[in-house]
């Protein structure tokens, strides 16, 4: 997660069988006889199911755009290059920050354009460029998910002198200054104000309604990380006005419990209202990686239930989220904040079986500091997460350093860890009809002069496909390609001996696979 103000922080992955990562969804046909291998008479093995995501931070131009004031064409080129490299590496999702601080990296009727785009809050990019719409389209074209990442309560980053930069007139600090409080290097929307919560939910629902995103995502920022006074004591968050209104209305909770309840109510409401807009849109939360010190035994560090008023364990056990990505931003061999122990503990709390995806501090690899990590730290963390019962993926913080080649990490992951492509785990509890889509019909055209064929497929049934899983076999090796719903053909070379095509719906459920025998000679057909 972006570290604008950092809180107190915090062997290579082995090659696994093609269907052996995370939770797999059973598929028709015999299972493979070995890692990535099948007999000629076998169908494709079950697809690898593993969430491989990365946060794309836009605040302060951490990841994208690389600087404010670029032209729309420059921003498009930069983003498509990043998505191409992410796809090539083996990622299947990007978590894009679309609301860094009461602003928008999309055309919003409720909030101003972000200053991180043009350098001036409220100024639109040139042309008709809508970054979120573009990112969704480009991610989906590559068979990747696009999660929209919101900061619900941060209002503004202040200048070094404590003053706000030039602010658009429709920013919340101007339209409702009574809701916004100065706290340290920020302006912060008071979570205790009902109007603040209403506004944040309205912003989220608007995005869910108008954009074809795959998830709504929030991170670890609720009440702000504490600011210290000269004596080292926490400076209280200035919410006297909302607290007094609560007490005057007959509220009986103490102040800390009231703050926690404010955040709890928001998370629960966000979950319900996102799904009221579109059932298939996932809700993801990525909290601080420790719930409380001593949980599990031996763990020390900040208590976010007391400092951020964020009781992430409650949200997980209540099922107010579809995936949980705790920020386990510590190395494996640090006992006081042990990556494997914390991941195991969070899995033990996951009684409803929501998706558990480990948040990893990938930016720490070769970052130039004395405490920089080696690339193998991330490879080992992925290997541990794959062995942890209940864990079905991971998320890198963040995209730019992951793709930069720093420390050899990208090459290491491509060579040892992401050798096979993966589908994100399915979310069957968000499926509208509770069943996968029907099998498509598949047909191959005649052999071309080059020996290849064009294979086409046609959807069947009432449920529309969101993606296509296209399996091809060369010798005994099966491979997988994920294509967008509007692409219904592929060109195969003469080395392809068999293939199969299946539809994937918005919940990630895979329908029956339609096989196609591809012969060097003779007629082609389904």
């Amino acid at each position: 997660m972006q570290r604008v103000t950092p809180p107190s922080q915090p062997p290579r992955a082995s090659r696994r069988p093609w269907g052996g990562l995370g939770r797999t969804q059973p598929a028709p046909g015999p299972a493979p006889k070995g890692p990535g291998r099948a007999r000629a008479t076998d169908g494709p093995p079950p697809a690898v199911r593993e969430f491989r995501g990365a946060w794309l931070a836009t605040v302060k131009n951490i990841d994208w755009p690389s600087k404010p004031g670029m032209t729309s064409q420059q921003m498009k080129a930069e983003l498509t290059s990043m998505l191409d490299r992410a796809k090539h590496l083996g990622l299947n999702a990007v978590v894009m920050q679309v609301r860094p601080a009461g602003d928008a990296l999309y055309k919003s009727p409720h909030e101003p354009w972000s200053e991180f785009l043009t350098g001036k809050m409220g100024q639109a990019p040139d042309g008709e460029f809508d970054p979120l719409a573009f990112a969704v389209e480009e991610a989906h074209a590559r068979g990747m998910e696009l999660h929209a990442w919101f900061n619900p309560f941060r209002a503004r980053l202040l200048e070094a002198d404590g003053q706000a930069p030039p602010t658009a007139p429709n920013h919340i600090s101007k339209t409702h200054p009574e809701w916004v409080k100065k706290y340290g290097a920020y302006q912060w929307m008071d979570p205790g104000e009902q109007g603040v919560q209403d506004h944040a939910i309205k912003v989220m629902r608007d995005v869910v309604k108008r954009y074809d995103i795959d998830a709504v995502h929030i991170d670890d920022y609720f009440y702000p990380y504490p600011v210290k006074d000269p004596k080292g004591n926490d400076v209280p968050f200035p919410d006297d006005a909302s607290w007094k209104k609560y007490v005057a209305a007959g509220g009986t909770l103490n102040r800390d419990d009231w703050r926690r309840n404010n955040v709890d109510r928001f998370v629960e409401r966000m979950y319900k209202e996102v799904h009221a807009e579109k059932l298939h849109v996932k809700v993801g939360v990525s909290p601080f990686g420790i719930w409380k010190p001593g949980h599990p035994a031996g763990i020390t560090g900040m208590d976010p239930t007391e400092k951020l008023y964020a009781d992430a364990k409650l949200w997980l056990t209540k099922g107010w989220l579809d995936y949980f990505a705790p920020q386990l931003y510590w190395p494996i061999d640090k006992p006081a904040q042990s990556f494997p122990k914390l991941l195991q503990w969070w899995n033990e709390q996951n009684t409803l079986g929501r998706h558990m995806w480990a948040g990893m501090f990938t930016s720490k690899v070769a970052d130039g500091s004395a405490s920089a990590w080696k690339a193998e730290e991330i490879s080992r963390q992925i290997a541990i997460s794959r062995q942890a019962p209940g864990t079905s993926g991971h998320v890198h913080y963040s995209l730019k350093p992951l793709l930069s080649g720093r420390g050899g990490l990208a090459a290491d992951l491509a060579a040892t860890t992401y050798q096979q492509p993966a589908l994100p785990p399915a979310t069957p509890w968000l499926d509208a009809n509770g069943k996968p889509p029907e099998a498509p019909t598949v047909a191959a055209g005649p052999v071309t002069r080059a020996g290849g064929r064009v294979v086409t497929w046609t959807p069947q049934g009432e449920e529309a496909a969101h993606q296509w899983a296209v399996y091809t076999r060369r010798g005994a090796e099966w491979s997988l390609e994920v294509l967008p719903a509007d692409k219904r053909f592929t060109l195969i070379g003469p080395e392809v001996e068999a293939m199969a095509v299946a539809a994937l719906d918005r919940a990630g459920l895979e329908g029956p696979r339609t096989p196609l025998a591809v012969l060097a000679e003779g007629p082609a057909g389904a």
Side-chain angles (χ1 to χ4, degrees), residues 38-277:
R39 296 177 314 202
T41 55
D42 288 341
V48 174
R49 288 283 185 166
E50 181 177 56
F51 189 85
R52 300 174 184 171
W55 282 288
L56 191 158
T58 58
V59 65
K60 287 194 170 182
N61 304 101
I62 291 175
D63 287 315
W64 178 87
S66 57
K67 60 183 179 181
M70 298 169 67
T71 67
S72 293
Q73 288 304 314
Q74 289 171 329
M75 285 191 280
K76 288 179 180 180
E78 189 173 71
L79 184 56
T80 54
S81 174
M82 295 178 80
L83 292 174
D84 282 341
R85 286 180 286 145
K87 175 69 173 179
H88 180 74
L89 175 62
L91 300 187
N92 53 31
V94 170
V95 185
M96 177 181 175
Q97 191 174 34
V98 301
R99 190 200 192 216
D103 52 359
L105 277 92
Y106 59 94
K107 190 173 183 179
S108 172
H110 306 300
E111 295 187 307
W113 284 100
S114 176
E115 64 189 299
F116 304 119
L117 291 171
T118 62
K120 180 181 179 181
M121 180 182 281
Q123 180 175 316
D126 63 278
E128 297 296 322
F129 180 44
D130 184 321
L132 177 55
F134 182 79
V136 169
E137 181 178 2
E138 293 296 317
H140 287 178
R142 290 162 176 78
M144 302 173 70
E145 292 190 351
L146 196 290
H147 296 207
W149 165 20
F150 298 81
N151 190 293
F153 302 123
R154 186 169 59 208
R156 200 79 168 94
L157 282 68
L158 302 179
E159 303 281 14
D161 60 4
Q163 299 301 308
T167 303
N170 61 331
H171 187 259
I172 194 168
S173 64
K174 299 294 186 181
T175 59
H176 287 284
E178 72 279 10
W179 293 347
V180 177
K181 311 298 178 183
K182 182 178 178 182
Y183 187 70
Y186 300 98
Q187 289 179 339
W188 210 264
M189 298 175 234
D190 181 358
E193 293 283 359
Q194 187 60 45
V196 165
Q197 299 208 15
D198 292 344
H199 180 72
I201 295 294
K202 177 175 66 176
V203 166
M204 290 177 173
R205 286 196 67 152
D206 171 63
V207 169
V208 173
K209 182 177 182 178
R210 294 192 297 118
Y211 295 86
D212 192 25
I213 62 172
D214 298 287
V216 164
H217 180 97
I218 58 174
D219 58 9
D220 55 321
Y221 287 94
F222 298 98
Y223 281 83
Y225 281 89
V227 172
K228 301 291 185 179
D229 65 18
K231 295 183 179 180
N233 300 313
D234 290 352
V235 176
F237 182 70
D239 57 0
D240 285 348
S242 56
W243 166 247
K244 289 177 180 177
K245 283 195 290 186
Y246 169 75
V247 173
T252 59
L253 296 175
N254 66 44
R255 197 158 183 168
D256 285 357
D257 287 342
W258 166 73
R259 286 172 173 165
R260 275 186 289 273
N261 185 59
N262 291 333
V263 178
D264 293 343
R265 288 189 299 108
F266 177 80
V267 173
E268 180 183 17
R269 182 181 173 190
M270 173 184 66
Y271 186 73
K272 292 178 178 178
E273 296 214 20
V274 166
H275 291 317
E277 196 67 57

Side-chain angles (χ1 to χ4, degrees), residues 389-460:
T391 304
S392 58
H394 49 272
V395 193
H396 297 277
Y397 181 78
S398 61
L399 186 59
K400 187 175 180 178
L402 174 64
L403 300 178
S404 68
R406 205 167 70 189
L409 177 59
D412 180 69
L413 292 177
T416 67
T417 306
Y418 292 158
Q419 289 178 312
Q420 298 289 354
L423 296 173
T427 312
W429 60 90
L430 299 183
D431 191 57
N433 59 18
K435 60 182 181 181
E438 294 186 19
T441 58
V442 182
V447 177
T448 66
R449 289 184 178 180
R453 297 185 184 194
V454 174
V455 178
T456 60
W457 51 89
T458 305
Q460 301 296 311

Side-chain angles (χ1 to χ4, degrees), residues 321-358:
L321 47 87
D322 300 306
Y323 69 85
F324 193 76
Q327 295 176 32
L328 306 179
Y329 287 176
W330 302 280
I332 294 166
D333 299 325
K334 186 175 183 181
Q337 295 89 34
S338 167
F339 177 93
K341 286 181 66 176
L342 284 164
L343 182 57
Q344 177 184 347
W345 185 86
W346 281 116
N347 274 313
E348 291 168 354
Q349 315 314 307
N350 188 17
T351 55
L352 294 180
R354 297 308 201 221
H355 294 312
M356 183 67 64
W357 301 333

Side-chain angles (χ1 to χ4, degrees), residues 480-494:
L480 166 67
E481 183 179 15
V482 181
L483 299 177
D486 60 357
K487 185 171 183 180
R488 300 178 184 177
F489 69 92
T490 191
L491 176 65
I492 59 173

